[in-house]
Amino acid sequence: MTEIYIDGAWRKAASGETIPVYEPATGGRFAQIAAGGAADIDAAVAAARAAFEGAWGRTTATERGRLLTELSRRIAAEAEELAQIEARDTGKPMKQARADIGALVRYFEYYGGAADKLHGEAIPYLNGYNVAVVNEPYGVTGHIIPWNYPAQMFGRTLAPALAAGNATVIKPAEDACLSIVRLAALAHEAGFPPGAINLVTGLGEEAGAALAAHPGVDFISFTGSPEVGVLVQKAAAEHYAPCVLELGGKSPQIVFDDADLDAAIPIIIAAIVQNGGQTCSAGSRVLVQEGVYDALVGRLAERFKDLRVGSPDMDLDCGPLISADQKRRVEGFVEGALRDGVPLIACGSVAEGADANGYYVAPALFGPAPRDNLIACEEVFGPVLVVLPFRDEADAVALANATDYGLIAAVWTRDGARQQRMPRLLRCGQVFVNCYGAGGGVELPFGGVGKSGHGREKGFHAIEEFCRTKTIVHHFG
Ligand code: NAD
């Protein structure tokens, strides 16, 4: 059984309760985590506050950068073991788990290097005045994260918050958090002082809700579903804490008649099968101009038929989904589309030898779908791709912007002017032209519009997001 980590020490949950952990590849129970609750969150927030007002709050940016860099080295040294934990806990293929740990190393490396590069500003003002704008950490930051990329999310949310000088409390998802338990131990060994990083595992409605509502938390970073994001933001508003919300997506791949299909097709496929489609920035809609519709869809169908799903060790295109609930949810979307008469163009298969009790779902390619069909507008969070035809550029923009989400998008075209025009017209936080990066790019500011959330993570912007500015005015004569 794993424990929670508060003030530099491991302990059981105050309630003594635990939560079972199931292995997605077999459906079997294989671990237990501590069921932290409001009392544990109280203790974690108090420890973070004491750290912020104590040793951690006095560290220089350079010292924080060195600690982050040291943690990146320790993660790199244990990369294979961490990837094994992540693959078993989430079900993802080993190659995906290894790539995730590589990205995690990059997060700590990047923010380790960035910590002492955050400068303030000097503002010209009246004669006889000096004005400085300095960046200050919020104090105690709360981090609530989902199950799809636990290890990567640990780096994405904590590294910039720590680089900025905040003391942190993280509440990972109950479905998958074993890598994070190990990462907290590695952070301890790397030398982070007690209270700088606190980890409380537990249920969302208990530990997560208590963290969002805690008046001692100065800033909340939430990644997860839009529904819970709204609850978290409301709870944070009760104690005037700002939030960054990274929610879901229904990101379009927009393919024009003049696109290089040889380049586009493998990337379109990878962007939906990556992590079994359980990626907020999965490319889950393909918008295709009418002239190339048959050619593109025919070739995508050929590829889909060959896609295979299996256990992490089989290391195929997709692993099982995270849970029995998620499997039911994805199958519900597939059945709904079939009931509504949306053509199923092609589907992949579950490999022979995959455990019948695992949470496997075969990849499915649907289309053409009515534009208002659920499968065309709502996030499935599984290996399901939908194809929608469009007429011209204006129609493509209208269709791309027609969902409530706005996370990322790709534009595939050889027309140089269109390559410049399209990104400005799309309502989302990242646009890729003739390429795509689902979840990729530690250096690239990332975040949503509308139902995909607000605020930015990744890149240098994330350190700024975890700071507030203070304006200091000196009068000297
Ligand atoms: P979820 O919202 O159910 O859970 C996310 C986290 O919130 C978990 O830690 C959970 O325990 C916690 N939680 C649940 N109820 C809570 C409550 N009432 N108060 C406080 N915390 C609570 O989401 P999920 O099902 O774990 O993840 C899937 C969703 O996350 C998808 O919609 C996906 O698109 C989104 N996601 C977004 C990004 C992004 O960066 N935009 C990244 C990954 C996942």
Side-chain angles (χ1 to χ4, degrees):
M1 190 201 79
T2 66
E3 295 186 315
I4 58 188
Y5 177 71
I6 296 177
D7 205 16
W10 294 91
R11 52 165 97 163
K12 293 190 172 29
S15 66
E17 304 277 309
T18 61
I19 302 166
V21 182
Y22 296 92
E23 184 176 13
T26 63
R29 192 172 155 155
F30 80 108
Q32 287 186 81
I33 56 166
D40 305 290
I41 291 291
D42 253 350
V45 172
R49 177 64 57 197
F52 184 68
E53 288 172 2
W56 176 246
R58 287 192 296 274
T59 52
T60 63
T62 307
E63 286 165 341
R64 292 195 298 276
R66 285 192 185 128
L67 281 169
L68 291 162
T69 307
E70 177 58 25
L71 180 51
S72 81
R73 288 200 194 100
R74 285 171 189 262
I75 295 167
E78 217 177 290
E80 184 57 24
E81 292 86 338
L82 283 164
Q84 297 277 355
I85 296 172
E86 191 78 332
R88 185 163 192 206
D89 202 14
T90 61
K92 60 183 73 194
M94 275 309 297
K95 56 179 176 264
Q96 178 68 48
R98 291 190 181 107
D100 288 5
I101 303 302
L104 172 66
V105 169
R106 272 294 291 142
Y107 277 115
F108 283 100
E109 196 176 56
Y110 179 88
Y111 289 107
D116 58 5
K117 316 292 182 298
L118 180 63
H119 298 162
E121 300 167 55
I123 295 191
Y125 187 48
L126 305 174
N127 286 338
Y129 286 84
N130 273 336
V131 179
V133 181
V134 296
N135 291 294
E136 291 187 338
Y138 278 97
V140 175
T141 52
H143 305 256
I144 302 173
I145 62 168
W147 41 257
N148 53 351
Y149 292 90
Q152 270 208 59
M153 285 299 315
F154 180 88
R156 182 172 118 186
T157 188
L158 284 197
L162 292 164
N166 297 285
T168 62
V169 179
I170 184 163
K171 204 304 279 177
E174 50 273 39
D175 310 76
C177 60
L178 297 177
S179 61
I180 291 182
V181 173
R182 181 63 197 140
L183 289 165
L186 285 178
H188 184 91
E189 290 164 21
F192 280 88
I197 299 174
N198 301 278
L199 161 66
V200 180
T201 57
L203 296 176
E205 340 41 301
E206 294 174 7
L211 183 57
H214 201 293
V217 174
D218 302 306
F219 184 95
I220 294 275
S221 169
F222 173 82
T223 302
S225 59
E227 298 70 26
V228 177
V230 170
L231 294 178
V232 165
Q233 182 156 349
K234 283 184 179 162
E238 291 291 334
H239 56 101
Y240 310 103
C243 291
V244 51
L245 299 182
E246 301 284 7
L247 310 175
K250 189 74 178 175
S251 299
Q253 303 267 359
I254 308 168
V255 184
F256 285 91
D257 282 349
D258 65 349
D260 176 351
L261 295 191
D262 291 340
I265 287 167
I267 293 178
I268 291 173
I269 298 279
I272 187 64
V273 300
Q274 175 182 322
N275 214 40
Q278 303 166 115
T279 303
C280 52
S281 49
S284 52
R285 290 187 291 160
V286 184
L287 317 187
V288 196
Q289 198 164 13
E290 285 162 351
V292 77
Y293 186 89
D294 289 341
L296 178 70
V297 171
R299 289 177 65 180
L300 287 176
E302 284 309 308
R303 299 292 293 266
F304 252 77
K305 283 183 204 146
D306 289 341
L307 292 175
R308 293 199 317 141
V309 181
S311 68
D313 290 341
M314 292 176 178
D315 220 1
L316 302 174
D317 300 297
C318 302
L321 301 183
I322 186 72
S323 61
D325 274 355
Q326 186 65 12
K327 180 174 191 268
R328 269 192 295 276
R329 182 170 181 273
V330 172
E331 286 172 346
F333 274 104
V334 169
E335 285 155 18
L338 291 172
R339 231 182 0 257
D340 293 344
V342 183
L344 175 63
I345 303 168
C347 60
S349 57
V350 177
E352 219 173 285
D355 193 306
N357 296 314
Y359 313 133
Y360 299 99
V361 172
L365 177 67
F366 279 98
R371 293 183 176 195
D372 60 353
N373 190 270
L374 215 53
I375 207 146
C377 321
E378 206 28 82
E379 181 180 52
V380 175
F381 227 51
V384 177
L385 185 60
V386 64
V387 192
L388 301 148
F390 68 84
R391 289 182 303 279
D392 53 23
E393 204 173 296
D395 194 29
V397 171
L399 184 53
N401 292 342
T403 76
D404 296 334
Y405 295 100
L407 197 54
I408 81 174
V411 179
W412 296 92
T413 180
R414 287 187 170 100
D415 179 327
R418 183 187 281 145
Q419 291 169 0
Q420 300 296 322
R421 248 184 341 260
M422 283 294 291
R424 312 277 165 163
L425 300 171
L426 297 171
R427 185 180 159 273
C428 59
Q430 277 186 343
V431 181
F432 291 86
V433 178
N434 294 331
C435 57
Y436 197 77
V442 167
E443 307 82 354
L444 310 179
F446 172 79
V449 173
K451 199 174 170 183
S452 290
H454 51 72
R456 294 293 176 260
E457 292 195 320
K458 301 189 176 182
F460 203 78
H461 285 65
I463 305 192
E464 292 169 339
E465 191 81 51
F466 282 109
C467 286
R468 55 184 155 213
T469 59
K470 180 180 279 171
T471 307
I472 304 173
V473 183
H474 286 265
H475 182 222
F476 56 84

